[in-house]
Amino acid sequence: MRQTCIFSGSSHPGLVEAICGRLGQKRADVTLGTFSNGETRVEIRTSVRDQDVFIVQSGSSQINDNIMELLIMIQACRGGSSKSITAVMPYFPYSRQSKKKTHRGAITARMLANLMYVAGVNHVITIDLHASQMQGFFKCPVDNLMAEPLLSKWLRMNIPDWPDAVVVSKNPGGTKRVTSMADALKLSFGIVTTDRRRANGMSSMQGSAIFESMGTDGTNDRIALERDAEDAEGRIRSNAGPREHNFAYQQRQQHAPRSNGDADGQTRRPSRHRAATAGFSPTVRTRLNTLNGSGDSPASPSPLSRSTRLDSVGTESSVSDGVSNLSLLRSHTAPGIEQPPHDSDGYEEAEGEDDGDERARDVITGRLIHGHIVEDDFPSPSLSVRSGSIQGGVEQRGSRSSEDEPLPEPMMQSFISTTSSRMQAPQHGLGGTGDATASDEEEEEALKDPYIESTVTLVGNVKDRPVLIVDDIIDKAGSWIAAAETVIKRGGATKVYCMATHGLFGGDSLRELDMCDEIEAIVVTDAFPIPEEKRRQTKKLVVLDVSGLLAEAIRRNHYGESISQLYQHFD
């Protein structure tokens, strides 16, 4: 190509050589180095006057040095009177910091986009931004290419039963990416979600409300409260006639004509009953009247009453049982909602062919401890986070593994327990949606914590099918291993293929993925440079070449051609 210069940064020289080989052009000469004090030194040794300049610089393990090197090269080419400057960044650095996660956080990706514009860039070519809306950070055109056609071509050529495969997202944030591939290949898709709380835990105020009651003397002494409750029960039983406990009598009372004093529409309580409960507080009198059927409606225990404290006075459990049952009972479901039955394999039973949606059966839950699937009868760790989110990498509140243990003293003195989700402050980073809270790093730390039990949910039918777990980045291995074990052990899938565009493989993640027996292959592109020593760690790793995609994008950009065909799937 005439009037074109292709420069290479120090991050991925092998990819630049492949791009130049496909374009039939030599790499432009540039000197890169550092001064004695560590400053980056760049010297352009080729004339760039009235040239279309393409600078290929991806992120790597030395990502901050790569950014400074790119900015200085852009500024140097601008000072050399280049016609246009295009930054080709297969992996855009700091793409995971595209939003504020705390009130004092920084949107680093936008800051980097501003730095590139100030340096003099005219166009940006990248592959699979972590969030596609990041294109709005730039003040110049952005071509966000997709590696989906490459990944789709590989699976069609290497997975014999790919028409039966299911594309699965390992978190809700990747749903759009997964559905795009599933629609292009006409495959089914599923979602795996991880929640840091126990199944059947307290999900609402009705499962965690703790009410305070006071005795007739104005105190909440436990012995005095129990004595008052026993006295009240004795007086009610001695004064109330047998007719008051007769249902037919109650029906006659409800349909009997009211006197003038009952013009407000409410039936008067028997005077003997009022006299028996005259010495108690209004709350105690109301609960005692409800217990004995003296109210307007028959007595029916409510979920809220079953969650009251052991030593509350006048509650239905304490009076009816004579304060003999000292266990703390909780309601796990909202009133009027019945939990569907489950089979042994975790699928919900359909009520009938016409009553329920068949897709509702494709919801499976499991337990994650230390990042691995465990059986339902596996002992719970000492801490189980019920709050449902992690903020700043620190658990908000732990819960005891046994519900029979006594409550902590501060909770015993509270009017309503702070464990209720309705009484807590918003768990989201900025009080908004859930995507502004825990980052990928915090998610991985939570999975590796042996004292945290998580609930994993699989939505979608993967039984006897191969599964393709797709995301844009593979960094830590925890969430990938958890998703693979979920679809194999709980969902009944046959094989698992982990597919992503950028293989960062931080720490020992590649070795951990290789040791996972449920994972058949790990498929990534070379958009992010992978050292040879890491590639030799596993035989499961498959690296796809993106030099052809980038070379064609550079050629079409230089000649002013459309790049729409680069987004289409091909055989």
Side-chain angles (χ1 to χ4, degrees):
M1 296 186 304
R2 296 182 179 181
Q3 302 294 315
T4 302
C5 292
I6 301 178
F7 291 96
S8 171
S10 60
S11 63
H12 208 332
L15 179 61
V16 181
E17 289 292 343
I19 292 174
C20 291
R22 289 179 178 271
L23 294 175
Q25 189 162 338
K26 293 183 179 180
R27 185 174 58 176
D29 190 13
V30 61
T31 300
L32 304 174
T34 57
F35 291 103
S36 58
N37 60 352
E39 295 179 356
T40 301
R41 180 172 65 91
V42 174
E43 183 180 353
I44 304 296
R45 306 181 65 88
T46 303
S47 175
V48 295
R49 183 175 296 274
D50 200 26
Q51 301 279 317
D52 287 334
V53 175
F54 296 89
I55 304 174
V56 183
Q57 180 80 308
S58 183
S60 68
S61 56
Q62 306 294 329
I63 197 164
N64 293 325
D65 294 337
N66 300 148
I67 291 174
M68 284 304 304
E69 195 174 85
L70 173 64
L71 295 176
I72 296 175
M73 292 176 70
I74 293 173
Q75 180 64 33
C77 292
R78 181 183 180 183
S81 301
S82 61
K83 180 180 179 181
S84 65
I85 303 174
T86 301
V88 182
M89 310 176 71
Y91 172 73
F92 190 83
Y94 290 96
S95 60
R96 286 182 289 183
Q97 301 185 38
S98 59
K99 56 180 174 287
K100 292 179 67 174
K101 296 181 175 63
T102 61
H103 289 281
R104 289 176 291 276
I107 307 178
T108 316
R110 184 180 63 182
M111 181 189 69
L112 180 56
N114 293 335
L115 288 174
M116 294 175 60
Y117 177 77
V118 172
V121 73
N122 303 116
H123 198 157
V124 175
I125 298 176
T126 185
I127 301 177
D128 277 336
L129 289 172
H130 188 61
S132 60
Q133 60 267 25
M134 286 174 53
Q135 300 177 58
F137 294 164
F138 296 86
K139 299 179 181 179
C140 62
V142 178
D143 292 334
N144 183 27
L145 304 178
M146 298 173 59
E148 178 183 304
L150 292 175
L151 298 175
S152 301
K153 181 180 178 180
W154 181 90
L155 70 91
R156 287 198 303 265
M157 297 178 60
N158 296 273
I159 303 179
D161 52 347
W162 71 267
D164 299 329
V166 179
V167 189
V168 174
S169 173
K170 67 183 183 67
N171 52 50
T175 305
K176 185 176 181 180
R177 186 177 298 105
V178 164
T179 54
S180 175
M181 176 177 284
D183 292 342
L185 298 175
K186 295 180 174 56
L187 301 177
S188 302
F189 68 92
I191 304 173
V192 174
T193 62
T194 304
D195 196 10
R196 280 157 302 284
R197 59 185 176 189
R198 290 283 303 278
N200 297 330
M202 295 179 296
S203 58
S204 66
M205 177 180 174
Q206 295 167 339
S208 61
I210 298 180
F211 291 90
E212 191 75 43
S213 296
M214 301 180 66
T216 56
D217 55 353
T219 64
N220 60 350
D221 180 62
R222 177 169 181 170
I223 299 177
L225 293 175
E226 295 178 356
R227 185 169 55 251
D228 291 343
E230 293 176 355
D231 295 343
E233 183 184 6
R235 278 188 283 179
I236 291 173
R237 290 179 177 175
S238 60
N239 294 333
R243 293 185 304 166
E244 293 188 22
H245 298 281
N246 188 289
F247 181 75
Y249 174 76
Q250 295 180 9
Q251 295 294 328
R252 290 196 301 271
Q253 287 293 105
Q254 291 179 3
H255 295 84
R258 298 185 178 92
S259 60
N260 294 333
D262 298 333
D264 55 353
Q266 295 184 357
T267 306
R268 292 180 176 272
R269 293 192 181 96
S271 58
R272 291 177 299 171
H273 193 86
R274 263 199 325 273
T277 59
F280 295 93
S281 62
T283 302
V284 176
R285 287 201 307 269
T286 302
R287 294 179 178 178
L288 292 176
N289 293 335
T290 304
L291 171 68
N292 292 273
S294 302
D296 296 336
S297 60
S300 60
S302 64
L304 204 59
S305 64
R306 291 197 298 270
S307 63
T308 53
R309 238 179 52 183
L310 313 179
D311 50 353
S312 294
V313 172
T315 59
E316 297 161 355
S317 58
S318 61
V319 175
S320 61
D321 298 339
V323 204
S324 60
N325 184 11
L326 297 181
S327 62
L328 183 62
L329 301 179
R330 292 184 174 91
S331 173
H332 300 296
T333 59
I337 299 179
E338 182 180 357
Q339 292 285 2
H342 292 269
D343 290 336
S344 58
D345 59 355
Y347 286 95
E348 297 180 1
E349 294 181 353
E351 298 178 0
E353 295 181 356
D354 299 329
D355 295 339
D357 190 351
E358 185 178 356
R359 290 174 296 178
R361 303 176 56 208
D362 301 333
V363 178
I364 305 174
T365 59
R367 298 175 58 196
L368 280 177
I369 296 180
H370 210 175
H372 296 280
I373 288 288
V374 297
E375 299 295 335
D376 294 337
D377 56 352
F378 190 86
S380 178
S382 58
L383 291 178
S384 176
V385 175
R386 293 177 186 256
S387 61
S389 69
I390 292 180
Q391 188 174 4
V394 180
E395 299 85 354
Q396 296 297 317
R397 182 179 293 272
S399 62
R400 301 176 183 269
S401 58
S402 175
E403 294 184 353
D404 296 334
E405 296 182 9
L407 295 172
E409 185 62 26
M411 188 181 295
M412 296 289 288
Q413 299 297 329
S414 65
F415 175 73
I416 296 182
S417 168
T418 56
T419 57
S420 175
S421 59
R422 300 187 182 183
M423 298 301 159
Q424 290 182 349
Q427 299 295 332
H428 306 311
L430 298 179
T433 58
D435 60 354
T437 53
S439 64
D440 295 338
E441 292 286 340
E442 296 163 359
E443 293 281 349
E444 296 290 341
E445 291 177 3
L447 289 175
K448 291 186 177 181
D449 194 334
Y451 298 103
I452 294 180
E453 177 179 341
S454 304
T455 299
V456 61
T457 304
L458 170 62
V459 180
N461 183 14
V462 300
K463 192 174 184 61
D464 299 329
R465 297 182 180 182
V467 170
L468 313 173
I469 303 179
V470 179
D471 206 348
D472 64 323
I473 296 175
I474 297 181
D475 190 0
K476 298 297 182 65
S479 58
W480 292 87
I481 294 176
E485 292 185 356
T486 300
V487 298
I488 290 288
K489 296 181 178 179
R490 302 295 295 178
T494 56
K495 296 179 181 179
V496 174
Y497 299 88
C498 297
M499 311 180 73
T501 304
H502 309 292
L504 276 60
F505 300 119
D508 295 333
S509 59
L510 187 57
R511 181 181 58 82
E512 295 174 2
L513 291 171
D514 181 66
M515 295 175 60
C516 181
D517 298 332
E518 288 78 12
I519 297 178
E520 184 75 14
I522 307 164
V523 185
V524 296
T525 69
D526 60 349
F528 188 91
I530 304 175
E532 286 296 331
E533 55 271 16
K534 279 193 174 183
R535 296 193 184 192
R536 291 192 294 265
Q537 290 181 3
T538 175
K539 296 181 179 180
K540 297 181 179 180
L541 181 63
V542 178
V543 181
L544 305 181
D545 185 17
V546 296
S547 62
L549 177 65
L550 294 174
E552 186 64 18
I554 291 174
R555 190 193 68 81
R556 290 173 179 267
N557 182 268
H558 173 68
Y559 289 111
E561 298 178 5
S562 173
I563 64 170
S564 300
Q565 294 182 358
L566 299 181
Y567 296 92
Q568 298 178 1
H569 289 249
F570 50 88
D571 296 332

